[in-house]
Amino acid sequence: MDKKGYYAIIPANVRYDKNLRPNAKLLYGELTALSNQEGYCWASNKYFADLYEVSNQSISKWINILSKSG
């Protein structure tokens, strides 16, 4: 997989949120980086699953956690 050279900034309110799993925080950074690149996040759950070598189900859980946390 081609890994881009962009970077992500994860704000303090996300980094220190005790309700978020560490992988959800990493995914947050990836989501915002892709959104900054194109103006929206175009990637699928499969894209992230392949990128992080986890299941689609794991990505869905992390997104759900992020969504519930606002």
Side-chain angles (χ1 to χ4, degrees):
M1 174 165 290
D2 181 31
K3 295 189 172 102
K4 304 291 184 189
Y6 54 82
Y7 61 93
I9 297 173
I10 302 174
N13 64 319
V14 174
R15 285 194 320 268
Y16 303 121
D17 187 329
K18 298 203 184 296
N19 296 317
L20 293 177
R21 296 178 185 176
N23 288 337
K25 295 174 187 184
L26 180 62
L27 181 60
Y28 175 91
E30 194 73 36
L31 288 164
T32 57
L34 291 176
S35 295
N36 287 334
Q37 180 185 19
E38 299 290 335
Y40 60 94
C41 183
W42 47 266
S44 66
N45 286 10
K46 181 176 178 355
Y47 171 87
F48 293 118
D50 291 344
L51 181 66
Y52 293 120
E53 298 179 353
V54 298
S55 68
N56 285 342
Q57 184 180 19
S58 291
I59 298 299
S60 292
K61 284 180 185 178
W62 301 343
I63 291 172
N64 191 32
I65 290 167
L66 290 169
S67 179
K68 285 181 180 178
S69 293

